[in-house]
Each structure stands twice: as structure tokens, then as C-alpha cells.
Amino acid sequence: MNLIYKIASIVSVLGLSLLLSFNTYASSSNDKIIERIKPVGQVCMEGDDSCGGAMVAVATSGPARTAEEVYTAKCALCHAAGVSGAPKFGTADWADRGAKGIEALLATAISGIGAMPAKGLCNDCSDDELKGAIEHMISSAP
Ligand code: HEC
């Protein structure tokens, strides 16, 4: 009788640990599956620093939003009225700034300048999108 109890308890301990390790295995492989089936956009946001080089290249090739959309959604906040000395849309301000050249303007727009925050607060803007928005503002000059 005693022996039977011993065998039964050994079997149940073995069974329990088997069950536990199976659970761990199952959840770790679930994680892997979830990782694999995640949509690309969720894993790597456009402009996200954690993106691999290849992903950044994909995300920044060709603007996802038009220049006007980026300007209206992000830049108009300050540039429509000329908040804190921001060069004002549709005025000669942009003729003056335009003289700096698009590459110089893009560089300062990315880093920020004076009261202008980095990327004009458009953290998910690609360089191409920022460039488009700047060109849109430059071409608004009379
Ligand atoms: C919070 C307000 C604010 C927002 C939003 C903003 N800007 Fe600006 N921006 C400024 C101000 C202020 C200046 C003038 C800074 C100075 O010359 O001291 C400026 C200047 C600039 C310049 C001229 C830089 C230079 O080198 O002379 C560019 C280009 C520019 N902004 C692009 C953008 C773009 C593109 C966006 C939208 C993605 C944007 N800004 C959004 C406030 C803003």
C-alpha cells in the first residue's frame, strides 16, 4: 500500500512539472508567433530610432503624406500666424528663409532652431515629409 502511494506521488510530481514546463514552452512560442505576425507598422513606426536601417530606408522613401497635409497638420500651428517669430506662411518671410537653401533649412528644421522645436513637433515625419512641408512654405512666398 505504502509503495503504491509513493509511486502515485512521484507520478503526480512528474506530471505537474511536465505540465509547468509545457506551459512555459507554449507561452514562449506564442510570443514568437505574435512577434512574427505583428503588422510591420506596429513593430517599426516611421522615423522610430529603434527601426533597423532597412526599415528606415523603406519608411522614408517617398512621402506618405503630401506636403500640404504635413504643413496643415503640423506646421501651420506656428507658421500660419507666425507664432514666436516663426516665418509666416504666404509672406516674404519665406523668401528670406528660402535663400538659405533647402538642405540648410531641412537641417535646422530637424534639429530645431530658436523657439522652433525639433522636427516642428512632427516626430513621425520622415525627412522627405519635412522637406516637402518646407518647400510648400517657401513656395507660399509672394
Ligand atoms: C511650436 C511652433 C512651431 C511649429 C509647430 C513649427 N515651427 Fe518651424 N519655426 C518656428 C519658429 C519660432 C521659427 C523661427 C526660429 C528662429 O529663426 O529663431 C521656425 C522656423 C522654421 C524654419 C526656418 C529654419 C531656418 O534655418 O531658418 C523652418 C524650415 C521650419 N520652421 C520648418 C517647420 C516645419 C517643416 C514644421 C512642421 C513640420 C514646423 N516648422 C513647425 C516654430 C514652429
Side-chain angles (χ1 to χ4, degrees), residues 32 42 46:
K32 278 180 199 145
Q42 225 173 299
E46 202 171 283

Side-chain angles (χ1 to χ4, degrees), residues 70-79 82-87 94 96-98 100-102 104-110 112-123 125 129-135 137-138:
V70 173
Y71 166 75
T72 307
K74 305 288 180 177
C75 319
L77 181 68
C78 296
H79 287 276
V83 174
S84 316
W94 276 108
D96 299 342
R97 301 276 179 165
K100 283 185 163 183
I102 184 68
L105 291 174
L106 177 62
T108 46
I110 291 170
I113 171 175
M116 155 104 180
K119 286 189 157 189
L121 298 178
C122 184
N123 290 323
C125 274
E129 286 174 322
L130 289 173
K131 200 173 191 173
I134 296 167
E135 281 165 346
M137 292 192 277
I138 292 173

Side-chain angles (χ1 to χ4, degrees), residues 27-72:
S27 66
S28 78
S29 68
N30 270 351
D31 289 346
K32 278 180 199 145
I33 291 167
I34 289 168
E35 190 63 41
R36 247 182 288 140
I37 61 173
K38 260 186 193 172
V40 170
Q42 225 173 299
V43 176
C44 173
M45 296 296 286
E46 202 171 283
D48 191 337
D49 285 342
S50 66
C51 291
M55 287 311 300
V56 172
V58 170
T60 54
S61 67
R65 291 163 285 192
T66 67
E68 200 175 341
E69 280 166 356
V70 173
Y71 166 75
T72 307

